[in-house]
Amino acid sequence: MNRADHRSQTPGAPCGRLARILGPSLAIALLGAALLAAPAQGRTTCPLPSNEELQVLALINQQRVANNLAAVALDGRLMESAVRHSEDMRDGCFLSHTGSDGSSKNQRMLDAGYPDPGQEAVGAGQISPSQIVSAWMASTAHRGILLNANARHVGIGHAIGPDLCVLHPYGVAVMPQFWTADFGKDAGAAAAPGACGGGSPECDDGIDNDGDGYFDFGDDVGCDDVSDASETAADLACDDGIDNDGDGLMDAQDPACLHPLLFMEDPPCSDGIDNDGDGLIDHPADPECLDPSQYAEEKAVCGLGFELAFLLPPLMALRARRRRMRGAGRTTL
């Protein structure tokens, strides 16, 4: 749906509860210097998150985790509905859950392809991610939205206008920054931002989908090419999404995994294998294993502390992957 269709029509009825969050935020906005002028323009149909939107996501999840709730995942379809509504509010300088075309929050989420809409939080005049999340958390109603235990996914929309505007229906001037957080309850996997309902490959979406600190083909070793649908490498213990050694940590979160290609989650001194062929297995049976977390069952090789039989195969695999990446014309480190 073209966002331009929603820009010049009469705003819908306001949500009265939102007035309770506006006081301190509007005071800050009215005291602020004039915002640097920037043209009010629409984002792409399937927007990737801006830095500000990612910061809002992080702050929301910080609040959820602090309240013993699971973090919500960023969903491309909800990004679509949230950005659409923030741009709509910016272009009409209004604050409401009803769009200028009369659309409800549920309609916008469904239009973007999200099957199970949840709640929505909106705001106007806050000039930073911390201000908008603080304003939401200071409101009982919006705190309940951010900390809803049924929420699984979220989309964040942030839109900036060029000038101060008089906010409808409140009749006060605000900094032209508008925020929307659309939450969803669907039990399925989140759609990658930039994909909306279309399922863009994880290896070409600009997102670290598997949380290993790497993203997309050319950086994440789990990606064979840009069309690869998953950043996870099932054949690598440190990139397979499984807690292989049962220590409660998996992949990038496991300190045994310094890099997906270099280590398994089980150190060689506690993996139940005679890695150095001396007939002795693991700590304390193998005297070369000073403790179970040691990464070699034999003495250091050239001071490295790794047995070559353990280290060389993954290094060769890394070299082969990098060759494939260079062959596809992608920059690698």
Side-chain angles (χ1 to χ4, degrees), residues 229-244:
S230 175
E231 288 185 352
T232 299
D235 59 333
L236 299 176
C238 282
D239 196 43
D240 61 1
I242 300 171
D243 178 16
N244 296 278

Side-chain angles (χ1 to χ4, degrees), residues 211-256:
D212 64 356
Y214 306 90
F215 66 92
D216 290 359
F217 175 69
D219 186 37
D220 195 310
V221 297
C223 294
D224 291 326
D225 54 57
V226 293
S227 65
D228 197 337
S230 175
E231 288 185 352
T232 299
D235 59 333
L236 299 176
C238 282
D239 196 43
D240 61 1
I242 300 171
D243 178 16
N244 296 278
D245 54 3
D247 62 356
L249 303 169
M250 68 180 181
D251 296 352
Q253 284 72 45
D254 194 319

Side-chain angles (χ1 to χ4, degrees), residues 52-76:
E52 291 79 10
E53 289 159 352
L54 289 174
Q55 290 176 47
V56 171
L57 172 67
L59 290 170
I60 289 174
N61 279 331
Q62 184 179 38
Q63 293 291 340
R64 291 180 64 85
V65 171
N67 285 273
N68 299 315
L69 295 169
V72 286
L74 195 65
D75 185 277

Side-chain angles (χ1 to χ4, degrees), residues 26-53:
L26 288 177
I28 294 172
L30 291 171
L31 290 172
L35 189 68
L36 291 175
Q41 56 187 358
R43 307 257 291 278
T44 57
T45 302
C46 295
L48 289 171
S50 66
N51 288 334
E52 291 79 10
E53 289 159 352

Side-chain angles (χ1 to χ4, degrees), residues 16 20 43 213 233 282:
R20 294 202 297 268
R43 307 257 291 278
D282 295 352

Side-chain angles (χ1 to χ4, degrees), residues 72-328:
V72 286
L74 195 65
D75 185 277
R77 298 160 295 185
L78 295 176
M79 279 291 303
E80 163 76 7
S81 64
V83 169
R84 166 187 162 183
H85 191 52
S86 288
E87 290 185 350
D88 190 24
M89 292 191 296
R90 173 201 64 195
D91 295 337
C93 196
F94 70 95
L95 186 65
S96 173
H97 289 294
T98 303
S100 63
D101 60 347
S103 62
S104 68
K105 63 177 181 63
N106 283 9
Q107 287 175 316
R108 292 188 294 273
M109 294 185 220
L110 291 169
D111 285 348
Y114 192 83
D116 193 3
Q119 296 174 294
E120 179 180 79
V122 296
Q126 298 85 3
I127 61 175
S128 70
S130 60
Q131 277 192 18
I132 184 59
V133 174
S134 294
W136 283 334
M137 291 298 293
S139 160
T140 301
H142 294 85
R143 178 185 175 89
I145 292 173
L146 269 60
L147 301 183
N148 189 316
N150 294 323
R152 294 176 176 269
H153 306 135
V154 70
I156 309 296
H158 177 219
I160 307 176
D163 303 299
L164 290 170
C165 66
V166 177
L167 187 69
H168 179 84
Y170 304 99
V172 291
V174 296
M175 298 294 278
Q177 300 212 32
F178 294 82
W179 308 83
T180 302
D182 281 341
F183 292 87
K185 303 176 292 182
D186 182 52
C196 298
S200 178
E202 287 189 0
C203 288
D204 195 37
D205 63 3
I207 303 295
D208 178 15
N209 296 279
D210 55 1
D212 64 356
Y214 306 90
F215 66 92
D216 290 359
F217 175 69
D219 186 37
D220 195 310
V221 297
C223 294
D224 291 326
D225 54 57
V226 293
S227 65
D228 197 337
S230 175
E231 288 185 352
T232 299
D235 59 333
L236 299 176
C238 282
D239 196 43
D240 61 1
I242 300 171
D243 178 16
N244 296 278
D245 54 3
D247 62 356
L249 303 169
M250 68 180 181
D251 296 352
Q253 284 72 45
D254 194 319
C257 293
L258 302 184
H259 187 282
L261 282 178
L262 293 184
F263 298 109
M264 298 177 293
E265 288 185 355
D266 278 323
C269 282
S270 61
D271 62 0
I273 300 171
D274 179 14
N275 296 279
D276 54 2
D278 62 357
L280 302 171
I281 298 175
D282 295 352
H283 175 80
D286 193 321
E288 304 300 341
C289 289
L290 301 182
D291 63 72
S293 64
Q294 189 173 318
Y295 280 105
E297 286 188 354
E298 62 182 23
K299 294 178 180 179
V301 179
C302 299
L304 291 177
F306 305 116
E307 60 176 296
L308 293 181
F310 175 65
L311 182 60
L312 286 179
L315 285 178
M316 294 301 292
L318 176 59
R319 185 178 180 184
R321 284 177 186 265
R322 286 182 171 170
R323 280 203 197 98
R324 291 202 303 272
M325 293 170 184
R326 285 197 297 270

